[in-house]
Amino acid sequence: MTTTVPPNSNSESVDSKGLKSGALGLVSSVVVGVASTAPAYSLAASLGFIVVGGTLAAGVHAPGIVLLAFIPMYLIAVAYQELNKAEPDCGTTFTWATRAFGPITGWMGGWGIIVADVIVMSNLAQIAGSYTFTFIGGFGLPGVAALATNEFATLIAGLLWIAVMTWICYRGIEISARVQYVLLAFEVIILLFFAGFALVKVYTGNAEPYSLIPQWNWFNPFGLDFSQTIAPAMLTAIFIYWGWDTAVSINEETKDPGKTPGRAAVISTILLLLTYAIVTVAAIAFAGVGDKGIGLANPANSSDVFSAIGPTLFGSGPIGSILLTLLGFSILTSASASTQTTILPTARTSLSMAVYKAIPEKFARIHPKFLTPTWSTIGMGVISAAFYLIFSAISFSLLNALIGSIGLMIAFYYGLTGFVCVWFYRKTMFKSFRNVIMRGVFPFVGGVILLAVFVYGLVQFAAPDWLVDDAGKNVTIFGIGAEAVVGVGGLLLGLVLMFIWWAVRPDFFRGKTLPMRSDDLVLANVEGGLAGFGLPDSGVFATVIAPDLSNLPPGQTAINVETGEPVDTPSELPPADPNFGKPPEERE
């Protein structure tokens, strides 16, 4: 959002971050937002766990859990949309939380994004590596297909996928978006074909004896026990929606950055709900919720329900083999697409943090030709690969612990964004009923829900017997559930790094590079309209005026953002303020 201030103001221009502005439109942003969630992979890896729930199974009410998990995601998407209107910065939660609550909270919000993305890359790389061999082996190469279970082979393939997707992100945002068009289109087509094929079989009576006719009450989860079923299933269901915020993290590269990214985020969550609802109902209808055979409650199917259902659904003939191969390929494209779109928001978060000197400034470097972050993009790929190697060296079973730990980090920074929205707009929220709902009620409720999910998940994940490996052994670290240790440990590592950087370069933490503010006063622009909120990459940007008008340039007028009326009288400040009541030329 570029705006002009009067030529006789003493505002200083700030150099652009250098990203390619206006490269993406609404459709491209939605594609990136949906692809980031990896719909096919997310459903394959999570649907079984949602059906099982916790101590008590959710069963046929799993679609209700999916619908329930959509609520906080939609509410937080609204918070992203509203905050993006004020400041479309690619740092998203980092920038907004710093503005609202200060540098410590903002730094941890940015770190939450980075560490969640780095951790999930290990899981995505593992899936992409495994399904690479499954897909190639589906063309009559059983020896290649067998490599899908070979740990060393999948490790190498996963590392190659990280390298390839890092290279694509490095080459430019437009090529990244074009790749996503192809991968997402194939993925969604196969998912909808799977759902349609299964439902046709069910409704024509050609399904299995244990198949079920869909019922509307499947979408009602409120008859289930909260602590034993809803809460555990919600922890998994929230994970399948995660990633739509990538559409907002590329805001500085979209057309109309103040509106397009927020709209894309909201549209992405709605499209995901529709997709997940259709596929979940179809899978339950065909496979049932039993704990034997292809039943979705069978623990043997939890890691990949599509591979369990596929052979029975499509049959063993040549056509069935082709369809099964395509289904596997959709999971491969899903994981690989999400690998790419996971790099995008992380690189841009670290870019923004570097611009504001919250991390080393080398991460703010932009490629002169491709206009993409260089150190941030390559660094994301290298760190993700290193993390993948470390976890694989410890135990491949430990990779399963990553999903739960990521859920904690998702709840942390999504929930934080909800509270940030409420606090940022606290001074102008009650100017209209619309603001009360969209900037107050929705973000606050979303934040509270995710806070509850975080606390509950942390307690459950810390139990030593929460996660077991294929041999039935508890997966723990220092005797504590691995998911809790990885989740909390990742956040605590951020605290340590933050304090180290604070000691080295304190300017950000002193509020010099990214000061706190709220939705308040800005300068009038030369056309007489309202100046938008400025960004570090907006050239000469609008000045946010303090309530006492202490930073109002000589000869200029402050404007109330909500009313558009000029402000002539300073607001009251504590008498101890040394500048209170002084004319601008005498202020310190």
Side-chain angles (χ1 to χ4, degrees), residues 9 59 74 106 117 215 248 314 329 370 428 471-472 513 587:
S9 84
Y74 172 77
D117 288 344
Q215 305 292 327
V248 186
F314 297 130
F329 185 60
F370 304 135
T428 58
T513 60
R587 290 170 183 150

Side-chain angles (χ1 to χ4, degrees), residues 333-514:
T333 59
S334 179
S336 58
S338 189
T339 301
Q340 178 193 342
T341 50
T342 298
I343 295 171
L344 291 176
T346 315
R348 280 144 186 81
T349 299
S350 59
L351 167 67
S352 183
M353 293 178 77
V355 166
Y356 291 116
K357 299 179 174 57
I359 60 175
E361 294 175 52
K362 288 183 178 180
F363 288 95
R365 292 182 179 177
I366 297 292
H367 195 284
K369 178 181 179 181
F370 304 135
L371 302 182
T372 55
T374 53
W375 274 61
S376 291
T377 300
I378 296 173
M380 170 60 179
V382 171
I383 294 172
S384 298
F387 195 88
Y388 181 30
L389 282 169
I390 291 171
F391 266 72
S392 299
I394 296 173
S395 170
F396 270 81
S397 297
L398 196 56
L399 291 173
N400 295 326
L402 301 180
I403 298 299
S405 64
I406 295 165
L408 293 177
M409 294 170 192
I410 295 168
F412 168 71
Y413 83 84
Y414 273 3
L416 174 61
T417 308
F419 294 130
V420 164
C421 185
V422 176
W423 191 250
F424 182 85
Y425 284 110
R426 69 191 184 279
K427 295 182 180 180
T428 58
M429 184 187 304
F430 296 98
K431 296 293 184 179
S432 70
F433 178 75
R434 186 259 179 206
N435 285 355
V436 170
I437 299 300
M438 303 297 280
R439 297 178 176 181
V441 176
F442 280 9
F444 181 76
V445 172
V448 169
I449 292 174
L450 291 175
L451 175 61
V453 168
F454 179 88
V455 172
Y456 180 86
L458 184 59
V459 172
Q460 295 298 312
F461 292 162
D465 59 348
W466 176 261
L467 183 70
V468 296
D469 59 19
D470 294 337
K473 296 181 180 180
N474 295 338
V475 181
T476 62
I477 299 176
F478 305 120
I480 305 172
E483 290 183 329
V485 174
V486 173
V488 175
L491 294 176
L492 291 178
L493 175 62
L495 276 175
V496 173
L497 294 176
M498 181 187 71
F499 284 118
I500 291 174
W501 186 246
W502 193 340
V504 175
R505 295 290 299 274
D507 283 357
F508 168 76
F509 300 98
R510 291 174 178 172
K512 293 182 178 181
T513 60
L514 187 60

Side-chain angles (χ1 to χ4, degrees), residues 250-394:
I250 56 174
N251 48 23
E252 298 187 44
E253 296 154 279
T254 60
K255 301 171 184 176
D256 196 358
K259 295 180 180 179
T260 298
R263 290 174 178 173
V266 173
I267 293 172
S268 295
T269 58
I270 294 173
L271 290 178
L272 287 168
L273 171 64
L274 295 175
T275 303
Y276 290 155
I278 293 171
V279 177
T280 299
V281 167
I284 291 175
F286 182 82
V289 292
D291 58 2
K292 306 294 183 184
I294 67 170
L296 297 183
N298 186 344
N301 302 334
S302 296
S303 61
D304 187 354
V305 296
F306 291 152
S307 291
I309 297 173
T312 303
L313 176 63
F314 297 130
S316 57
I319 300 298
S321 297
I322 294 173
L323 293 176
L324 188 60
T325 299
L326 291 176
L327 182 61
F329 185 60
S330 73
I331 299 176
L332 169 60
T333 59
S334 179
S336 58
S338 189
T339 301
Q340 178 193 342
T341 50
T342 298
I343 295 171
L344 291 176
T346 315
R348 280 144 186 81
T349 299
S350 59
L351 167 67
S352 183
M353 293 178 77
V355 166
Y356 291 116
K357 299 179 174 57
I359 60 175
E361 294 175 52
K362 288 183 178 180
F363 288 95
R365 292 182 179 177
I366 297 292
H367 195 284
K369 178 181 179 181
F370 304 135
L371 302 182
T372 55
T374 53
W375 274 61
S376 291
T377 300
I378 296 173
M380 170 60 179
V382 171
I383 294 172
S384 298
F387 195 88
Y388 181 30
L389 282 169
I390 291 171
F391 266 72
S392 299
I394 296 173

Side-chain angles (χ1 to χ4, degrees), residues 82-83 85-87 95-102 419-429 439 514-523 531-534 542-547 551 559-562 571:
E82 294 302 311
L83 287 166
K85 290 177 181 178
E87 191 155 6
T95 305
W96 303 330
T98 303
R99 291 293 200 197
F101 294 134
F419 294 130
V420 164
C421 185
V422 176
W423 191 250
F424 182 85
Y425 284 110
R426 69 191 184 279
K427 295 182 180 180
T428 58
M429 184 187 304
R439 297 178 176 181
L514 187 60
M516 292 175 62
R517 71 169 175 84
S518 63
D519 179 36
D520 206 352
L521 304 178
V522 297
L523 285 176
F533 288 114
T543 302
V544 178
I545 303 304
N551 64 333
I559 295 293
N560 185 297
V561 176
E562 289 295 321
S571 302

Side-chain angles (χ1 to χ4, degrees), residues 57 61 114 168 198 233 235 241 457 561:
H61 294 285
I114 292 173
I168 291 175
L235 287 168
Y241 286 100
V561 176

